[in-house]
Amino acid sequence: MKVLVNTIVNGAPVQEAVTPRSSLADFLRDDLGLTGTHLGCEMGACGACLVLLDGAPVHACLVLAVQAEGGRIETIEGLTETGAVADLQESFHDRNALQCGYCTSGMLMSAQALLARNAAPSRDEIRDALSGNYCRCTGYEAIVDAIAATGRARAVTAAPANTEAAE
Amino acid sequence: MTLHIGQPQRRENARRHLAGRGRFVSDLALPRMLHAVFVRSPMAKGRILGIDIEAASLCPGVVRIFTAADLNPRCQPWVGTLDHFAGMQSPPMNILAEESVLWTGHPVAMILARSRAEAEDAADRVLVDIEDAEPVTGGVPVLQPGAARANDAADSNLCYEALLQTPDVDRAFAGAAHVVEAGFTFGRHTAVTLEPRAVVADYDPSSGALTVHQGTQTPYQFQDVYARHFGLPEGKVRVIAPDVGGSFGMKLHVYNEEMGAVAASLILGRPVRYVADRLESFVSDIHARDHDVYGRMAVAADGTILAMEIDDLTRIGAVSAYPRTSAAEGNQVIRLMGAPYRMADYRGKLSVAFQNKVQTSQYRAVGHPIACAVTEALVERAAEATGCDSFEIRARNLIADDAYPHVSATGYQFEKLSHQACLARLRGMMDPGALRAEQAALRARGIYRGFGIASFVEITNPGATFYGVGGARISAQDGAVVRMLPSGDIHCAISVTEQGQGTETIIAQVVADQLGVVPERVSVTTGDTATTPSGGATWACRGAGIGGETALRAGRQLRDRILTLAGALVQTDPATLRLAGGAVVDAATGAPRIALEEIGRIATYRPDTLPDGIDHSLTVAHHFAPGGYPFDFTNGIQGSLVEVDVETGLVTLLKHWVVEDCGRIINPLLVDEQIRGGVVQGLGPAFFEECQYDADGQLTNGSLADYLVPMAVEMPDIKIAHIETPTQDTILGAKGVGEAGTAAAGAAAMNAVNDALRPFGACLTQTPMTPLRILDALDAARQERTAP
C-alpha cells in the first residue's frame, strides 16, 4: 500500500506515492533522483543525509517520507541552484575542506544552519556545531576554517545593510 | 619547468561534490537491476546443519535466493598467501559459507530482490540451523600445541611466523648499561569509510561482457581477479571506480559480497547491486591492527640506542585476506621498528594467528602506528633511564642527515632522509622549554598536561619486490596516455585513482608543466579499466611518486613529439624550441612561434600539408615502474600536547604538530590536508576507535552509535611544516604523503599522555587510551606506590 505525499522539494511542489516505511532519504534519492543526499549510517549518527525541512536540518534517514507531508524540503541540489550556499561552497573549495565528498552535503547543511543562528561563531562553536557530522578524510580543521571564513565574509557583506536599517 | 608543480591548485573535481553532484556507486541505478542482501552467521564458529529458504523465497519481490551449493561453484576459491612469506598457510575461501561458519557476519545465503527493503524482509525469513562451536577469540594460548582451531581447514592457528635478526643482538643486550622494556596492546579498529562498500555488477549475456561498478582504489586488480576467478577473458571484464566515498586501504581487498554480486549477475544476467549497510560494514570490512607487542631496548650509558628486540603476536581472521594477505601488517611492524635510529642490532619475531573474527588486512599506514608507538615509547623510557630529555635522546640517535645512504638494522635501505632537520624544526615550533614551564605551573594547580614526540619513517612507492615477487598479481607499475586534442587542450588517462586525495589535480599540474599549459587545460580520467592503462593504482602513497612520475614522463614524450612537429611546421631545429604559455616558443627568447591549437588543427584536419613521413600522432602512452631503491621512504616527526583529567580519565587534545618530508611537494594545499586527515586517523585509534568483541566472538559495538570515531569537537588544530628532500630515483622527486600523518600521531599522543601522568607514575601501553584505561593505569600506579 502506497500513500500520497505532498511536499515542496527545492521550491517545486512534488506529489508522489510512497510506501509508508520509506525514509525521506530513500524518497529523495530513489524516487526523486536527488542523490546529493547521502546515507552513511541510517541511524542518525553520521550526518551525511542532513537536509533542511522547513528550514531546520534533519536526518533524512530518520524522517519518514510521509512525515514530510506539507513540508518544505531543501537538499544540496536546491541550495546550489538558488545560490544560498554559494559562498560556503567557494570557501570549502578554497580551503580544500572536502576530500571524498561523501560528508560534504551534510557539512554544508550544518554550516548553513549554524551561520543562520550565529553569524560569527568561534572555532570552538563551529567544532561543536559539527558534532553530528562525521568526516573521515579531512581531520575537520579545513572545514572549520572554511565555515569561519564564510561567517566573516557574510558579516562584512551584511554590515552595510544593518547600518542602513538602523538609520 | 615547474610553474604549477608546487602550487596550491584547487581540486576541480571538488566542485561536483560541493554541488551534490558526486557520482558514487551507491547512487547508481541500472535497468533490470536487482538488490542483494546477505544472510549472515550470528555465531563466530559453527557447523551449518541446514538452511531453509522456502518461506523467504515466497516473499514479495524476491527473485532468487542462493546458498553455497548453487553460487560457489561459479567462482574459483581464493587463497590469501604470498610465496615470499615462507611457510604461510591460509585455507581457501569462497563466497558463501559451505560447511563451517568462521566469524560473526560470515555470509551464509544471498537474496536477490527488486528492492533492498524486500530483500531484507526475505532475509528475516531464512532459517539457518547452525551447531555452534567454541570460537577462538583469544591471544597467546591459541598458538599452543593442541589448541582448538579457529579454522578446521588449517593445520593449526599459526598462519605465518617470521624471525629477523642481526648476529650481534644478544651481545648488544648483554653489554648494555640499561635495558628498558614494555608490553603493548594495539586494539582492533576499522576504516569506517563514510560511503560503505558498494558494487553494481552488470553481466550482459548477449555480449559476454562483465562491467563492475565498484567503490575501490584498485580497478585493475579487480579486473584481473574477476577474470581469473570467474573464468572470463580479461578483455571482457571492465571495472569502473567512479567517485569513492573514502577507502583508506579498506576497499582494495577481495570480499565475499563483491564476489557474490558478480557471481549472481553472471548467473542471472542482470545487474546486481550490493551496498553494505553500516552494520554489515562492521562485520565484513577488514579490520586492522590487533597486535600484542613485547619490546626491549638496549641503551648505552650515554643514551645511545644499541639494539631492540620485539615479539609481535597479531590476531587476524579465520583466513588471511586476499590478495594482499593479513600478514603484511605484522611483517611491516617487525621491519619498521627502530627505523629512524642508528641502532645497529635487532631481533624481531612475528606470529600471525587465526581467530574467529572479521579478517584483518591493510588499512592506512599498515603497521607503522604500531612500530612507531613501540619504538617511541621505548625511546622515552631510554631517555628517562639515561637522564636525557625527549629531544636530546633523539638528536643523539636519529640517523644524521649526511649519513646516507643508510641501511637499517632490519634491512631497509634509506636513500636520503632528514630526521635531524625535522627534529630541529619541531623543537622550534613546539618550544619545549615553554611547555615544560607551563606544565610545572599547571601541575601546581592540579592540571596535568603533557607533551610527546615521535619520529617516523613511512614506506612509499613500493616496487615489484613488495607483492609481485610473492606471486600476487598486484602491479607495481602505472601507465598514462597523454594526448593533445585538436584544440590544443590536453587529456591524460592514468591508472592511479582518485578517492578525494586530489590525484587528478596533481596529475594535471605535472602534465601542464611538461606541456607549457595551465592545469585548467588538462583534463584527467581515472578509475576505468576500459579507458585508462593498467597499473597498480592508488595505495601505499603511490599516486604522487609513481603516478606523478608516469604522467611526467608521458608528458615529456608528448612534448618532444609536439616540438618535432612544430620544427617541421616553422622550419626550425626542434632543439631551439620549447613549450610555454600554450604555444611553441623560441627556447632562447621565449618569442611565440606557433600556438598549440594551430598544431592540433594541422595534425588533425590537414595532415596532408605536413612533410611526408612525419609522425603526426599527438597521443603517447608510457608506463613507469619504480627502479633504484626497492621503495621510497618519507620521514618526519610529530608532537602532541594533551591535558589529562585525572579524576575522569578524559583527555583533551590541545595541539598537534607535524614536520614532514615527503620529497617534492606537488601541491601544498593537498599535502597539508592529507597530513591532517592522516593525523586524525591516527588519533582515532589512539583514543576512541576499537572493535570490541566478547568471549563468544560477538562484536559488541558494531554500529556508529557505539563505535567512536574522532569528531570535530575532539580534534585539535594541527600545525604543519615541511622539509623537502626529493628522491633522486625519479625526475619528479615526489615520495608520497597519504600515510605519514597516521604513522606517528598515536605514538606522539601516547608519549604525551604518559608525560602528563608522570607525576603519578602511571603509564599507558594499550590503545585506545580510553578514560577507563587511564583510570586503571592511575589506580595501578597508586597501588604500586602504597604496596609495602
Side-chain angles (χ1 to χ4, degrees), chain B residues 435-449 643 654:
Chain B
L435 290 176
R436 282 281 172 243
E438 180 191 60
Q439 181 182 52
L442 289 172
R443 272 182 192 167
R445 293 165 41 200
I447 295 169
Y448 295 92
R449 288 194 178 174
E643 185 173 307
L654 297 170

Side-chain angles (χ1 to χ4, degrees), chain B residues 589-663:
Chain B
T589 66
R593 297 299 305 271
I594 182 169
L596 289 182
E597 46 263 58
E598 182 62 3
I599 296 172
R601 182 189 68 79
I602 294 167
T604 308
Y605 304 113
R606 293 304 305 275
D608 56 307
T609 63
L610 289 166
D612 279 349
I614 194 162
D615 184 359
H616 58 88
S617 39
L618 291 175
T619 300
V620 302
H622 183 77
H623 287 255
F624 170 76
Y629 284 83
F631 5 84
D632 280 339
F633 285 89
T634 75
N635 70 278
I637 186 165
Q638 299 193 22
S640 167
L641 176 68
V642 305
E643 185 173 307
V644 183
D645 183 329
V646 296
E647 301 301 321
T648 64
L650 284 167
V651 177
T652 306
L653 305 173
L654 297 170
K655 213 164 185 182
H656 201 92
W657 297 265
V658 181
V659 184
E660 222 277 331
D661 186 344
C662 62

Side-chain angles (χ1 to χ4, degrees), chain B residues 577-588:
Chain B
L577 302 172
R578 64 183 170 88
L579 298 179
V584 177
V585 302
D586 185 274

